[in-house]
Amino acid sequence: MDIQELETGQVTVLAINGRIDSTNAIDLGNKLRALYAQPGRRLLLDLQEIEYISSAGFRTLLIALRRAADTGGRLALCGLTSKVRELFDMGGFLDNFSIKPTRDEGVNSLA
Amino acid sequence: MKKPRNIVYGVDDIPPRGVLLLSGVQHVGLVAIFLLVPVIACRQAGMPPEKIIDVLSLSMLVMAVGPILHALRRGPVGSGYLCPPIFAAAYLPASLLALKAGGLPLMFGMTIFAGAVEIAMSRVLRPLRPFLPPEIAGFVVAMIGVTIGLLGFRHIFGIGLPEQPGAASYMVAAATLALMVGLNVWTVGAPKIFCALIGMVAGYLMAAAAGVLPAADLHRLSAAPIAHLPSIDHLGWSFDAELVVPFVVAAVAASLRAIGDLTICQKTNDADWARPDFGSISGGALANGIGTFLSGILGTIGLNTSTSNVGLAAATGITSRYVAFAVGGIYLTLAFFPKAGTIFAIMPAPVVGATLLFAAALVFVNGLIIITSRMLDSRRIFVIGLSFMLALAADVFQPFFSQLPAGVRVFTSSALVVGTLAALLLNLVFRIGVRRTQTMQVNPAAVDTYQIDEFMQTNGSAWGARREVIERARFNLMQSIELLAESGVTQGMLTVVVRFDEFSLDVLVSYNGAPLELPERRPTNEEIISSYEGQYRLAGFMLRNLADRVQVNNRSGHTTVAFHFDH
């Protein structure tokens, strides 16, 4: 898993590449925890290059969502491929997250 | 069966009468040019024009019965789809050989024989299914699209036609095609669903205005009687064993074409289409065989399904099988009113060419979609790629193929026959060494995700499995291995067995340890966040839901989790 971080106005975009599973979910969790250490952080996770996400990855995202709420921040996702979207659907996560089709729409929704 | 969004009247919908009639006229108009196939054969036999009218009328009777036989769904006859047949150009070379050897009676007799061959073949298509995989059906469909497209260009460029076209003819073709495509792309409702008919009528008018209608055709129209009861004086039948091979090859080509056309019908009518339904295809091939048999009895040329009509139905969104009855009724009427039939038969070449190109574009792309719906490994890539090259070579290097010995030439009569036979043969060769069950050992302490990916991708491609099913199975395998490794259920090696046939994909994960928990209820977000137990239950819940069936067996501490995926 590779993570590319960039700032777009008030929004921090994390473009994640590869797979999110039990071998790297802790690394992603640490990264997200560090970002939400700043109150009011607006974070967009671009999952366009994600090919697989396991239950460990979903748990990490749920924890990030909780942390965003606790710190007055916000979290949105964008760029889900059809197969990753199917995993979100199967896990019952489509309603939990704010999911936008593209990065631009994701940034606009958080701006 | 789930009706796709672009279909206005699906296969079982009954359109209003006006739509039925106009749609029927559209279908008849599209392929009326093929009425010339028996006419060409009769002219070759030196039959006088007044007798040719009888042949044309009897041919229309056959064309009336053909679509109705196809649309039937009760009993063994019929595919249950709108799939009007036409006189098969594939039968023309064999028929001309018969004419040369024994005149019309031999041509009629051998056509009856070919019909019997098609009928017999239709009964064994189902057992032959493993040798006719979807990507080959897709290839046949794409090749049919190419064949129709080239036929369209032949009409537009006047290749092999008695009169060479000029600038006016090209303009008529371009304007007709532009009108059909424009109406189809940018309009809705009646203009869209009757785009081909509107284009044909406009094409006729433009051809008349531009002076493109040949004088000989206008003469044929004025000479044709208004009403006429066909005579059967010219009928007679004979048989020659030396002509068995060319007629069997033509019958095989017609059957393969039926598989391709009916595959398009099925795919066009079902948004959830996954594979050819051979029950319907066998019924359609039987209807086709009966049609060809009847052609021989009534003294005309053999039939095959019409890809142009199937493409037209898909393009206009009217795929109702009840249109077949309208088509049958129109042909029945035309059989006794030759002047009306001749209006269709003298359709100007640029209009015919434009209409064929319009249908060909859709058919060709449909074929590509069927091919790419399956994962293709190097074997399948060579089956499709080499067959396509051979088929093109048969068309481009015709002089070379025409010099081949007569025994070989019967197998190289057209690009479609060459390509299809090559694909079937290569598929047979490449089946050698493909195992349907594969096993892999996985160490949960050091999971190599690349190895698991590779295992699923390689086998999925070798089996020609559907991409989305392999993706779901791949997720289940990765998640179950991750779950077993993380939860500490087992410490030893895991054995993964993957089994495939065309209808199912089974993934079996075996290990020494307690059974995995695969809950039916999703854990709450709070449960997932608060402990790893919640995360494991989420994993089990997703594993259960992504597979179509799950079974867990535990015997003496050895557990097997079987994930079944419908394919």
Side-chain angles (χ1 to χ4, degrees), chain B residues 500-532:
Chain B
F500 176 79
D501 65 36
E502 180 53 32
F503 297 97
S504 61
L505 176 71
D506 292 291
V507 178
L508 287 79
V509 182
S510 304
Y511 57 92
N512 286 321
L516 276 180
E517 186 191 356
L518 303 174
E520 290 182 15
R521 183 187 72 82
R522 178 190 183 276
T524 63
N525 287 352
E526 190 55 45
E527 287 170 332
I528 296 168
I529 290 173
S530 62
S531 74
Y532 283 109

Side-chain angles (χ1 to χ4, degrees), chain A residues 18-60:
Chain A
R19 58 180 77 213
I20 308 174
D21 57 23
S22 60
T23 63
N24 54 31
I26 291 176
D27 297 336
L28 177 63
N30 289 338
K31 175 84 183 168
L32 295 171
R33 187 184 308 119
L35 285 167
Y36 279 119
Q38 179 190 317
R41 172 81 73 174
R42 298 173 187 190
L43 192 57
L44 176 66
L45 301 186
D46 187 341
L47 305 183
Q48 190 171 357
E49 299 298 324
I50 285 293
E51 56 184 75
Y52 168 81
I53 177 167
S54 73
S55 57
F58 283 118
R59 180 168 186 264
T60 301

Side-chain angles (χ1 to χ4, degrees), chain B residues 508-567:
Chain B
L508 287 79
V509 182
S510 304
Y511 57 92
N512 286 321
L516 276 180
E517 186 191 356
L518 303 174
E520 290 182 15
R521 183 187 72 82
R522 178 190 183 276
T524 63
N525 287 352
E526 190 55 45
E527 287 170 332
I528 296 168
I529 290 173
S530 62
S531 74
Y532 283 109
E533 286 305 316
Q535 177 191 313
Y536 300 153
R537 283 206 298 281
L538 170 66
F541 171 78
M542 291 180 72
L543 286 173
R544 173 181 287 281
N545 281 288
L546 264 172
D548 292 300
R549 276 202 310 277
V550 182
Q551 200 174 6
V552 183
N553 287 314
N554 182 276
R555 265 189 213 159
S556 314
H558 187 79
T559 300
T560 298
V561 187
F563 299 106
H564 173 88
F565 299 89
D566 293 336
H567 187 267

Side-chain angles (χ1 to χ4, degrees), chain B residues 33-183:
Chain B
I33 191 73
F34 288 94
L35 287 169
L36 289 179
V37 175
V39 173
I40 291 168
C42 293
R43 280 185 189 156
Q44 289 284 322
M47 188 181 253
E50 61 275 15
K51 293 303 291 177
I52 290 180
I53 287 175
D54 290 328
V55 173
L56 202 59
S57 291
L58 291 170
S59 299
M60 287 196 193
L61 285 179
V62 175
M63 294 282 264
V65 176
I68 294 171
L69 284 177
H70 261 284
L72 296 177
R73 198 175 282 157
R74 293 185 182 198
V77 182
S79 64
Y81 287 98
L82 170 60
C83 189
I86 50 170
F87 292 110
Y91 275 115
L92 194 55
S95 298
L96 292 177
L97 283 175
L99 281 175
K100 206 169 172 184
L104 284 170
L106 185 55
M107 184 181 99
F108 300 155
M110 294 310 295
T111 301
I112 292 176
F113 164 74
V117 172
E118 280 192 53
I119 290 169
M121 274 196 69
S122 74
R123 302 300 83 197
V124 294
L125 283 181
R126 194 186 286 268
L128 289 178
R129 195 176 50 197
F131 305 103
L132 304 166
E135 69 271 14
I136 289 189
F139 168 73
V140 173
V141 170
M143 276 312 302
I144 290 170
V146 171
T147 307
I148 298 174
L150 291 178
L151 188 63
F153 278 118
R154 275 177 201 278
H155 280 87
I156 293 170
F157 298 143
I159 298 165
L161 297 181
E163 293 191 25
Q164 290 309 298
S169 179
Y170 295 139
M171 293 288 286
V172 170
T176 304
L177 181 61
L179 182 61
M180 288 178 183
V181 173
L183 290 174

Side-chain angles (χ1 to χ4, degrees), chain B residues 198-275:
Chain B
I198 295 168
M200 280 186 262
V201 172
Y204 251 110
L205 295 174
M206 286 187 282
V212 173
L213 277 171
D217 283 346
L218 291 173
H219 176 72
R220 274 175 58 199
L221 179 61
S222 63
I226 293 172
H228 174 75
L229 203 60
S231 151
I232 55 169
D233 293 348
H234 62 286
L235 292 181
W237 304 273
S238 61
F239 181 83
D240 183 346
E242 284 192 14
L243 290 171
V244 162
V245 171
F247 275 90
V248 166
V249 169
V252 170
S255 299
L256 290 172
R257 185 162 178 165
I259 292 173
D261 285 337
L262 290 166
T263 301
I264 307 176
C265 290
Q266 293 170 5
K267 188 176 171 300
T268 304
N269 281 288
D270 186 3
D272 294 332
W273 184 87
R275 70 182 63 76

